[in-house]
Amino acid sequence: MIYLDNASTTKVGTDVVNEMLPYLFEEYGNPGTLYDIGQRAKEAVDKARNQVAAFLGADSPEQIIFTSGGTESNNMVFSAFPTIPRKTHILVSSIEHDSISNIGFPNQNIINVDENGKIIWDDFVQRMNRSIYLASVMFANNEIGTINPIEKIGEYCREHGVLFHSDCVQAAGCIKINVNELCLDFASISSHKIHGPKGVGALYIRNKNLINPKLMWRVGGKHQEFGYRGGTENVPGIVGFGKACEILTGNEMRVGSKITLLKRKMWSKLRSNFSKYGLLEILHDNANSAESFGKILNIRIDGVDAETMVLMLNAKHVCVSAGSACRSHEQQPSRVLKAVGLTDDQARDSIRISLSLFNTEEELNEAADIIADTVYTLKQG
Ligand code: PLP
């Protein structure tokens, strides 16, 4: 199998699994208990909190809340704001993940993006006003891989007294995230996108006074996660997540550069294969995704329905995605592709290829051959 859907989820690293195993077999205590096995589990959670804090460049592990993943971290930010007089609106980009854009916040202003998926700076500035208390812009988009100028947005927000959140789920592991340098008040990350286990993530909160746990939708024990999230901790998951973060800390740009290079090579191999078949004019790179830094390549093949393509490639043991994972059961064309100017038909002809360090150049060449051969066969038929 050639797995090219790493924006959807990733393979768990061997070192990560090894770190988790004791917490499934021997060290299964509840971190909330006083006896030794429980206290050792608590120490493991504390260690992981330190690893995640170091990964994000946070000042203190207490700024990290463990969650069930990126979705919950994103939801949390929007669910718990104390009301501040006159600050009634939030500002989000038009290409946020569903876990933000589907919240349907009543006073929500949308920042438009350009044809590459980057926020339009003038539009952002124009929409900034005294009623805004929170802006949220994702670091790297999950469908087209666009990277937003988070540091510039963060500085602007801080200067204007607006809280700033970034969904860093897809940037994590490929781009260095330093919450202080980026002027972030909140940041969301997810373990299973960085070779950690599923069902665990984190929310960075710069200053806990910014969020009122009493307003949050999750009611439970007051003792876990500093009162911000009740429920017994997912100890093995948290331990694995911490290890995945530790492995990547300081290596993000090297990993990101390597993956970007692989992606660009694959794009040029695809182009030369399509050219060989006289099909180059039907192959397109959506939103210049091959150019952007990181793992995501979003391509369009005119007249070839993405779902058909995904199933045909699956039959040849190549995994890619029609749109983002969360949309692959929907018939609706991707909202993100439409936001960057694609028509419904163009969006339906688009597939997402996303890489990880586990991919080799050989398998990417093979996948590029299989994709071109499949399209050639379809066009012949
Ligand atoms: N944010 C982005 C940008 C994502 O790509 C995803 C998952 O695809 C999420 C949030 C949700 O993360 P999780 O699957 O951990 O809930």
Side-chain angles (χ1 to χ4, degrees):
M1 179 187 68
I2 304 179
Y3 184 76
L4 303 178
D5 199 13
N6 289 281
S8 163
T9 197
T10 57
K11 177 176 168 176
V12 182
T14 310
D15 290 345
V16 170
V17 175
N18 287 336
E19 196 84 1
M20 292 170 70
L21 284 176
Y23 296 93
L24 290 161
F25 290 119
E26 303 108 38
E27 303 290 354
Y28 47 79
N30 184 327
T33 55
L34 289 177
Y35 40 78
D36 287 356
I37 191 173
Q39 286 301 298
R40 286 197 296 273
K42 182 179 179 303
E43 278 163 24
V45 170
D46 290 346
K47 177 177 169 193
R49 206 182 300 283
N50 275 297
Q51 288 165 320
V52 176
F55 180 63
L56 294 176
D59 295 330
S60 145
E62 298 199 351
Q63 294 172 312
I64 306 298
I65 305 290
F66 287 118
T67 64
S68 63
T71 298
E72 187 186 331
S73 301
N74 284 344
N75 288 179
M76 232 181 204
V77 175
F78 291 86
S79 69
F81 277 93
T83 332
I84 304 170
R86 291 185 297 283
K87 294 254 183 196
T88 48
H89 284 64
I90 60 165
L91 200 52
V92 295
S93 88
S94 60
I95 58 161
E96 293 302 306
H97 185 258
D98 285 352
S99 53
I100 287 179
S101 63
N102 283 354
I103 291 176
F105 203 84
N107 298 326
Q108 177 170 296
N109 288 350
I110 307 285
I111 316 161
N112 291 309
V113 297
D114 66 16
E115 69 283 1
N116 290 337
K118 262 206 180 99
I119 63 151
I120 300 171
W121 184 256
D122 290 346
D123 194 51
F124 164 69
V125 170
Q126 229 166 47
R127 289 173 195 279
M128 244 327 158
N129 60 50
R130 284 170 188 276
S131 71
I132 309 285
Y133 65 77
L134 171 77
S136 180
V137 178
M138 69 199 319
F139 203 156
N141 179 268
N142 50 304
E143 293 189 46
I144 49 180
T146 311
I147 304 205
N148 268 302
I150 296 303
E151 188 171 349
K152 189 173 165 193
I153 303 170
E155 281 170 1
Y156 193 91
C157 286
R158 197 149 288 175
E159 274 167 25
H160 290 79
V162 169
L163 296 173
F164 182 41
H165 166 252
S166 183
D167 174 345
C168 297
V169 166
Q170 295 292 349
C174 275
I175 305 174
K176 186 162 175 42
I177 300 166
N178 183 302
V179 287
N180 288 320
E181 285 168 17
L182 298 172
C183 296
L184 286 166
D185 293 299
F186 306 98
S188 306
I189 56 170
S190 172
S191 158
H192 73 108
K193 312 284 188 183
I194 57 167
H195 306 290
K198 292 175 182 56
V200 56
L203 176 66
Y204 160 81
I205 307 177
R206 183 175 58 81
N207 173 354
K208 294 251 193 60
N209 296 329
L210 300 174
I211 262 193
N212 181 351
K214 292 209 187 81
L215 294 177
M216 287 162 64
W217 50 269
R218 187 179 279 269
V219 179
K222 287 201 279 283
H223 306 294
Q224 295 100 353
E225 299 306 306
F226 315 107
Y228 284 78
R229 184 180 191 263
T232 305
E233 297 86 340
N234 168 9
V235 179
I238 288 171
V239 165
F241 180 29
K243 185 67 185 177
C245 286
E246 184 193 82
I247 291 169
L248 284 164
T249 302
N251 294 317
E252 299 89 339
M253 298 318 279
R254 188 182 57 77
V255 169
S257 305
K258 202 162 167 195
I259 293 175
T260 308
L261 189 65
L262 281 176
K263 171 174 82 171
R264 291 186 184 149
K265 282 189 176 164
M266 181 171 185
W267 171 237
S268 78
K269 178 81 165 99
L270 275 168
R271 283 179 52 82
S272 79
N273 285 352
F274 273 66
S275 163
K276 215 166 50 197
Y277 285 128
L279 292 171
L280 190 56
E281 75 275 12
I282 66 165
L283 176 69
H284 311 274
D285 173 14
N286 288 328
N288 259 320
S289 64
E291 281 313 304
S292 66
F293 191 83
K295 61 189 162 199
I296 297 175
L297 178 64
N298 195 308
I299 63 170
R300 185 172 86 245
I301 306 164
D302 294 337
V304 178
D305 175 69
E307 289 200 359
T308 309
M309 194 65 190
V310 167
L311 295 176
M312 289 186 77
L313 291 178
N314 176 51
K316 295 172 183 174
H317 312 292
V318 176
C319 303
V320 299
S321 155
S324 71
C326 323
R327 304 187 151 256
S328 54
H329 301 300
E330 289 177 20
Q331 292 303 311
Q332 291 299 318
S334 151
R335 160 176 69 71
V336 171
L337 293 180
K338 292 191 72 180
V340 295
L342 268 64
T343 63
D344 285 8
D345 283 344
Q346 287 175 328
R348 285 199 183 93
D349 291 349
S350 298
I351 58 172
R352 178 187 69 181
I353 293 165
S354 49
L355 313 184
S356 84
L357 265 192
F358 287 115
N359 292 123
T360 62
E361 197 170 334
E362 293 70 45
E363 63 176 3
L364 294 178
N365 283 338
E366 194 185 333
D369 289 345
I370 293 171
I371 292 170
D373 291 350
T374 306
V375 172
Y376 181 70
T377 311
L378 273 171
K379 290 288 178 188
Q380 294 301 300

